[in-house]
mmCIF file of all heavy atoms in Angstrom:
data_model
loop_
_atom_site.group_PDB
_atom_site.id
_atom_site.type_symbol
_atom_site.label_atom_id
_atom_site.label_comp_id
_atom_site.label_asym_id
_atom_site.label_seq_id
_atom_site.Cartn_x
_atom_site.Cartn_y
_atom_site.Cartn_z
ATOM 1 N N VAL U 287 108.029 111.178 98.684
ATOM 2 C CA VAL U 287 106.971 110.189 98.446
ATOM 3 C C VAL U 287 105.907 110.797 97.547
ATOM 4 O O VAL U 287 105.436 111.914 97.792
ATOM 5 C CB VAL U 287 106.339 109.720 99.771
ATOM 6 C CG1 VAL U 287 105.144 108.800 99.508
ATOM 7 C CG2 VAL U 287 107.381 109.009 100.621
ATOM 8 N N GLY U 288 105.537 110.061 96.519
ATOM 9 C CA GLY U 288 104.524 110.545 95.588
ATOM 10 C C GLY U 288 103.482 109.501 95.283
ATOM 11 O O GLY U 288 103.551 108.348 95.736
ATOM 12 N N VAL U 289 102.512 109.909 94.486
ATOM 13 C CA VAL U 289 101.382 109.067 94.111
ATOM 14 C C VAL U 289 101.362 108.919 92.596
ATOM 15 O O VAL U 289 101.506 109.910 91.870
ATOM 16 C CB VAL U 289 100.051 109.687 94.586
ATOM 17 C CG1 VAL U 289 98.874 108.809 94.187
ATOM 18 C CG2 VAL U 289 100.070 109.917 96.085
ATOM 19 N N SER U 290 101.192 107.684 92.123
ATOM 20 C CA SER U 290 101.083 107.409 90.697
ATOM 21 C C SER U 290 99.689 106.866 90.404
ATOM 22 O O SER U 290 99.294 105.835 90.957
ATOM 23 C CB SER U 290 102.150 106.400 90.257
ATOM 24 O OG SER U 290 101.967 106.039 88.900
ATOM 25 N N ILE U 291 98.959 107.553 89.543
ATOM 26 C CA ILE U 291 97.603 107.151 89.165
ATOM 27 C C ILE U 291 97.627 106.840 87.672
ATOM 28 O O ILE U 291 97.758 107.735 86.834
ATOM 29 C CB ILE U 291 96.587 108.264 89.486
ATOM 30 C CG1 ILE U 291 96.668 108.642 90.971
ATOM 31 C CG2 ILE U 291 95.173 107.823 89.117
ATOM 32 C CD1 ILE U 291 95.843 109.864 91.350
ATOM 33 N N SER U 292 97.535 105.552 87.347
ATOM 34 C CA SER U 292 97.783 105.095 85.975
ATOM 35 C C SER U 292 96.497 104.656 85.281
ATOM 36 O O SER U 292 95.498 104.362 85.936
ATOM 37 C CB SER U 292 98.810 103.959 85.992
ATOM 38 O OG SER U 292 98.384 102.901 86.824
ATOM 39 N N PRO U 293 96.514 104.571 83.939
ATOM 40 C CA PRO U 293 95.299 104.295 83.170
ATOM 41 C C PRO U 293 95.126 102.813 82.841
ATOM 42 O O PRO U 293 96.034 102.009 83.005
ATOM 43 C CB PRO U 293 95.546 105.090 81.897
ATOM 44 C CG PRO U 293 97.029 104.940 81.682
ATOM 45 C CD PRO U 293 97.647 104.937 83.059
ATOM 46 N N TRP U 294 93.956 102.493 82.290
ATOM 47 C CA TRP U 294 93.647 101.110 81.924
ATOM 48 C C TRP U 294 94.094 100.771 80.503
ATOM 49 O O TRP U 294 94.195 99.601 80.152
ATOM 50 C CB TRP U 294 92.140 100.839 82.038
ATOM 51 C CG TRP U 294 91.274 101.847 81.342
ATOM 52 C CD1 TRP U 294 90.603 102.875 81.924
ATOM 53 C CD2 TRP U 294 90.998 101.938 79.934
ATOM 54 N NE1 TRP U 294 89.924 103.615 80.971
ATOM 55 C CE2 TRP U 294 90.147 103.054 79.744
ATOM 56 C CE3 TRP U 294 91.374 101.192 78.818
ATOM 57 C CZ2 TRP U 294 89.674 103.440 78.487
ATOM 58 C CZ3 TRP U 294 90.917 101.569 77.571
ATOM 59 C CH2 TRP U 294 90.077 102.676 77.416
ATOM 60 N N ASN U 295 94.362 101.772 79.667
ATOM 61 C CA ASN U 295 94.621 101.439 78.264
ATOM 62 C C ASN U 295 96.047 100.932 78.017
ATOM 63 O O ASN U 295 96.280 100.194 77.065
ATOM 64 C CB ASN U 295 94.301 102.624 77.349
ATOM 65 C CG ASN U 295 95.168 103.834 77.603
ATOM 66 O OD1 ASN U 295 95.623 104.066 78.732
ATOM 67 N ND2 ASN U 295 95.396 104.623 76.568
ATOM 68 N N PHE U 296 96.996 101.314 78.876
ATOM 69 C CA PHE U 296 98.337 100.717 78.864
ATOM 70 C C PHE U 296 98.650 100.287 80.298
ATOM 71 O O PHE U 296 99.524 100.858 80.957
ATOM 72 C CB PHE U 296 99.379 101.707 78.335
ATOM 73 C CG PHE U 296 99.309 101.911 76.848
ATOM 74 C CD1 PHE U 296 98.472 102.870 76.304
ATOM 75 C CD2 PHE U 296 100.059 101.124 75.988
ATOM 76 C CE1 PHE U 296 98.381 103.049 74.937
ATOM 77 C CE2 PHE U 296 99.980 101.295 74.614
ATOM 78 C CZ PHE U 296 99.133 102.256 74.084
ATOM 79 N N PRO U 297 97.944 99.250 80.781
ATOM 80 C CA PRO U 297 97.984 98.920 82.210
ATOM 81 C C PRO U 297 99.251 98.223 82.657
ATOM 82 O O PRO U 297 99.467 98.061 83.853
ATOM 83 C CB PRO U 297 96.775 97.997 82.377
ATOM 84 C CG PRO U 297 96.655 97.316 81.043
ATOM 85 C CD PRO U 297 97.016 98.368 80.034
ATOM 86 N N CYS U 298 100.092 97.833 81.714
ATOM 87 C CA CYS U 298 101.392 97.241 82.035
ATOM 88 C C CYS U 298 102.499 98.278 81.838
ATOM 89 O O CYS U 298 103.235 98.598 82.767
ATOM 90 C CB CYS U 298 101.636 96.014 81.162
ATOM 91 S SG CYS U 298 103.243 95.220 81.384
ATOM 92 N N ALA U 299 102.607 98.829 80.637
ATOM 93 C CA ALA U 299 103.722 99.718 80.304
ATOM 94 C C ALA U 299 103.655 101.048 81.038
ATOM 95 O O ALA U 299 104.625 101.475 81.677
ATOM 96 C CB ALA U 299 103.773 99.949 78.793
ATOM 97 N N ILE U 300 102.512 101.741 80.950
ATOM 98 C CA ILE U 300 102.426 103.042 81.619
ATOM 99 C C ILE U 300 102.438 102.853 83.127
ATOM 100 O O ILE U 300 103.069 103.631 83.857
ATOM 101 C CB ILE U 300 101.188 103.820 81.141
ATOM 102 C CG1 ILE U 300 101.347 104.198 79.670
ATOM 103 C CG2 ILE U 300 100.990 105.077 81.986
ATOM 104 C CD1 ILE U 300 100.190 105.009 79.103
ATOM 105 N N PHE U 301 101.771 101.818 83.607
ATOM 106 C CA PHE U 301 101.774 101.556 85.051
ATOM 107 C C PHE U 301 103.194 101.413 85.578
ATOM 108 O O PHE U 301 103.584 102.080 86.549
ATOM 109 C CB PHE U 301 100.977 100.276 85.351
ATOM 110 C CG PHE U 301 101.090 99.818 86.777
ATOM 111 C CD1 PHE U 301 100.315 100.398 87.772
ATOM 112 C CD2 PHE U 301 101.969 98.805 87.134
ATOM 113 C CE1 PHE U 301 100.424 99.979 89.103
ATOM 114 C CE2 PHE U 301 102.082 98.382 88.450
ATOM 115 C CZ PHE U 301 101.310 98.971 89.439
ATOM 116 N N ILE U 302 104.010 100.577 84.928
ATOM 117 C CA ILE U 302 105.348 100.337 85.462
ATOM 118 C C ILE U 302 106.285 101.492 85.133
ATOM 119 O O ILE U 302 107.165 101.835 85.927
ATOM 120 C CB ILE U 302 105.926 98.994 84.963
ATOM 121 C CG1 ILE U 302 107.056 98.523 85.888
ATOM 122 C CG2 ILE U 302 106.401 99.073 83.529
ATOM 123 C CD1 ILE U 302 106.634 98.263 87.316
ATOM 124 N N GLY U 303 106.095 102.149 84.001
ATOM 125 C CA GLY U 303 106.942 103.293 83.677
ATOM 126 C C GLY U 303 106.759 104.440 84.650
ATOM 127 O O GLY U 303 107.724 105.069 85.085
ATOM 128 N N MET U 304 105.498 104.713 85.011
ATOM 129 C CA MET U 304 105.205 105.795 85.949
ATOM 130 C C MET U 304 105.697 105.490 87.357
ATOM 131 O O MET U 304 105.916 106.408 88.146
ATOM 132 C CB MET U 304 103.695 106.059 85.978
ATOM 133 C CG MET U 304 103.177 106.751 84.735
ATOM 134 S SD MET U 304 101.352 106.829 84.657
ATOM 135 C CE MET U 304 100.981 107.768 86.137
ATOM 136 N N ALA U 305 105.864 104.214 87.678
ATOM 137 C CA ALA U 305 106.386 103.836 88.994
ATOM 138 C C ALA U 305 107.904 103.733 88.992
ATOM 139 O O ALA U 305 108.574 104.191 89.923
ATOM 140 C CB ALA U 305 105.777 102.510 89.437
ATOM 141 N N ALA U 306 108.460 103.126 87.951
ATOM 142 C CA ALA U 306 109.895 102.842 87.924
ATOM 143 C C ALA U 306 110.736 104.103 87.878
ATOM 144 O O ALA U 306 111.809 104.172 88.488
ATOM 145 C CB ALA U 306 110.221 101.954 86.722
ATOM 146 N N ALA U 307 110.289 105.125 87.158
ATOM 147 C CA ALA U 307 111.088 106.347 87.022
ATOM 148 C C ALA U 307 111.313 107.036 88.369
ATOM 149 O O ALA U 307 112.464 107.306 88.746
ATOM 150 C CB ALA U 307 110.435 107.292 86.012
ATOM 151 N N PRO U 308 110.268 107.341 89.130
ATOM 152 C CA PRO U 308 110.532 107.954 90.439
ATOM 153 C C PRO U 308 111.262 107.031 91.400
ATOM 154 O O PRO U 308 112.058 107.494 92.221
ATOM 155 C CB PRO U 308 109.132 108.316 90.954
ATOM 156 C CG PRO U 308 108.175 107.537 90.149
ATOM 157 C CD PRO U 308 108.830 107.310 88.825
ATOM 158 N N ILE U 309 111.021 105.731 91.299
ATOM 159 C CA ILE U 309 111.682 104.787 92.204
ATOM 160 C C ILE U 309 113.186 104.770 91.975
ATOM 161 O O ILE U 309 113.979 104.847 92.916
ATOM 162 C CB ILE U 309 111.069 103.379 92.046
ATOM 163 C CG1 ILE U 309 109.720 103.311 92.788
ATOM 164 C CG2 ILE U 309 112.015 102.299 92.573
ATOM 165 C CD1 ILE U 309 108.952 102.029 92.550
ATOM 166 N N VAL U 310 113.617 104.680 90.723
ATOM 167 C CA VAL U 310 115.056 104.601 90.466
ATOM 168 C C VAL U 310 115.741 105.915 90.832
ATOM 169 O O VAL U 310 116.945 105.931 91.154
ATOM 170 C CB VAL U 310 115.337 104.217 88.998
ATOM 171 C CG1 VAL U 310 115.176 105.399 88.054
ATOM 172 C CG2 VAL U 310 116.731 103.607 88.853
ATOM 173 N N ALA U 311 114.977 107.005 90.843
ATOM 174 C CA ALA U 311 115.530 108.303 91.243
ATOM 175 C C ALA U 311 115.637 108.450 92.755
ATOM 176 O O ALA U 311 116.157 109.458 93.238
ATOM 177 C CB ALA U 311 114.685 109.434 90.662
ATOM 178 N N GLY U 312 115.142 107.451 93.502
ATOM 179 C CA GLY U 312 115.292 107.470 94.951
ATOM 180 C C GLY U 312 114.047 107.801 95.731
ATOM 181 O O GLY U 312 114.110 107.988 96.951
ATOM 182 N N ASN U 313 112.891 107.877 95.054
ATOM 183 C CA ASN U 313 111.632 108.185 95.712
ATOM 184 C C ASN U 313 110.878 106.906 96.077
ATOM 185 O O ASN U 313 111.179 105.824 95.580
ATOM 186 C CB ASN U 313 110.747 109.024 94.787
ATOM 187 C CG ASN U 313 111.424 110.294 94.335
ATOM 188 O OD1 ASN U 313 111.517 111.249 95.083
ATOM 189 N ND2 ASN U 313 111.919 110.298 93.104
ATOM 190 N N CYS U 314 109.858 107.048 96.909
ATOM 191 C CA CYS U 314 108.920 105.972 97.182
ATOM 192 C C CYS U 314 107.574 106.355 96.588
ATOM 193 O O CYS U 314 107.225 107.536 96.537
ATOM 194 C CB CYS U 314 108.799 105.722 98.682
ATOM 195 S SG CYS U 314 110.338 105.136 99.434
ATOM 196 N N VAL U 315 106.830 105.358 96.122
ATOM 197 C CA VAL U 315 105.632 105.630 95.333
ATOM 198 C C VAL U 315 104.455 104.787 95.799
ATOM 199 O O VAL U 315 104.595 103.583 96.029
ATOM 200 C CB VAL U 315 105.884 105.359 93.831
ATOM 201 C CG1 VAL U 315 104.668 105.749 93.010
ATOM 202 C CG2 VAL U 315 107.107 106.111 93.330
ATOM 203 N N LEU U 316 103.302 105.443 95.910
ATOM 204 C CA LEU U 316 102.037 104.757 96.119
ATOM 205 C C LEU U 316 101.372 104.631 94.755
ATOM 206 O O LEU U 316 101.113 105.652 94.093
ATOM 207 C CB LEU U 316 101.126 105.549 97.055
ATOM 208 C CG LEU U 316 101.431 105.505 98.559
ATOM 209 C CD1 LEU U 316 102.759 106.152 98.906
ATOM 210 C CD2 LEU U 316 100.300 106.198 99.336
ATOM 211 N N VAL U 317 101.136 103.403 94.292
ATOM 212 C CA VAL U 317 100.572 103.206 92.960
ATOM 213 C C VAL U 317 99.099 102.841 93.064
ATOM 214 O O VAL U 317 98.722 101.911 93.773
ATOM 215 C CB VAL U 317 101.350 102.142 92.160
ATOM 216 C CG1 VAL U 317 102.739 102.644 91.802
ATOM 217 C CG2 VAL U 317 101.453 100.824 92.905
ATOM 218 N N LYS U 318 98.275 103.619 92.355
ATOM 219 C CA LYS U 318 96.856 103.321 92.261
ATOM 220 C C LYS U 318 96.534 103.004 90.810
ATOM 221 O O LYS U 318 96.406 103.891 89.972
ATOM 222 C CB LYS U 318 95.985 104.480 92.745
ATOM 223 C CG LYS U 318 94.539 104.059 93.016
ATOM 224 C CD LYS U 318 93.521 105.110 92.668
ATOM 225 C CE LYS U 318 93.156 105.156 91.208
ATOM 226 N NZ LYS U 318 92.451 103.949 90.704
ATOM 227 N N PRO U 319 96.408 101.714 90.463
ATOM 228 C CA PRO U 319 96.101 101.363 89.076
ATOM 229 C C PRO U 319 94.638 101.635 88.744
ATOM 230 O O PRO U 319 93.805 101.855 89.638
ATOM 231 C CB PRO U 319 96.388 99.856 89.041
ATOM 232 C CG PRO U 319 96.080 99.396 90.439
ATOM 233 C CD PRO U 319 96.513 100.532 91.327
ATOM 234 N N ALA U 320 94.315 101.620 87.474
ATOM 235 C CA ALA U 320 92.926 101.763 87.048
ATOM 236 C C ALA U 320 92.099 100.594 87.559
ATOM 237 O O ALA U 320 92.577 99.446 87.611
ATOM 238 C CB ALA U 320 92.861 101.823 85.520
ATOM 239 N N GLU U 321 90.857 100.875 87.928
ATOM 240 C CA GLU U 321 89.989 99.836 88.475
ATOM 241 C C GLU U 321 89.754 98.696 87.501
ATOM 242 O O GLU U 321 89.494 97.563 87.919
ATOM 243 C CB GLU U 321 88.633 100.442 88.867
ATOM 244 C CG GLU U 321 88.677 101.387 90.061
ATOM 245 C CD GLU U 321 88.783 102.844 89.676
ATOM 246 O OE1 GLU U 321 89.667 103.179 88.859
ATOM 247 O OE2 GLU U 321 87.985 103.646 90.197
ATOM 248 N N ASP U 322 89.844 98.962 86.193
ATOM 249 C CA ASP U 322 89.565 97.931 85.189
ATOM 250 C C ASP U 322 90.761 97.032 84.895
ATOM 251 O O ASP U 322 90.635 96.088 84.114
ATOM 252 C CB ASP U 322 89.131 98.589 83.873
ATOM 253 C CG ASP U 322 87.833 99.356 84.021
ATOM 254 O OD1 ASP U 322 86.805 98.719 84.271
ATOM 255 O OD2 ASP U 322 87.863 100.595 83.909
ATOM 256 N N ALA U 323 91.906 97.315 85.497
ATOM 257 C CA ALA U 323 93.120 96.586 85.122
ATOM 258 C C ALA U 323 93.987 96.281 86.330
ATOM 259 O O ALA U 323 95.204 96.389 86.284
ATOM 260 C CB ALA U 323 93.910 97.388 84.086
ATOM 261 N N GLY U 324 93.358 95.850 87.416
ATOM 262 C CA GLY U 324 94.109 95.592 88.640
ATOM 263 C C GLY U 324 94.969 94.356 88.610
ATOM 264 O O GLY U 324 95.989 94.281 89.299
#
């Protein structure tokens, strides 16, 4: 289990890329998006 802390400047692509990669590898992820792009 890991934590993904993503930025506001690519709030769709980087957010989902940082989550999807560990997930497809079999991990579980807690995602904390940027406050400006929830």
Side-chain angles (χ1 to χ4, degrees):
V287 174
V289 180
S290 175
I291 304 172
S292 56
W294 50 259
N295 63 330
F296 286 88
C298 177
I300 293 182
F301 172 81
I302 200 62
M304 287 171 60
I309 282 173
V310 78
N313 303 283
C314 296
V315 184
L316 283 65
V317 291
K318 196 216 82 66
E321 291 96 310
D322 296 294

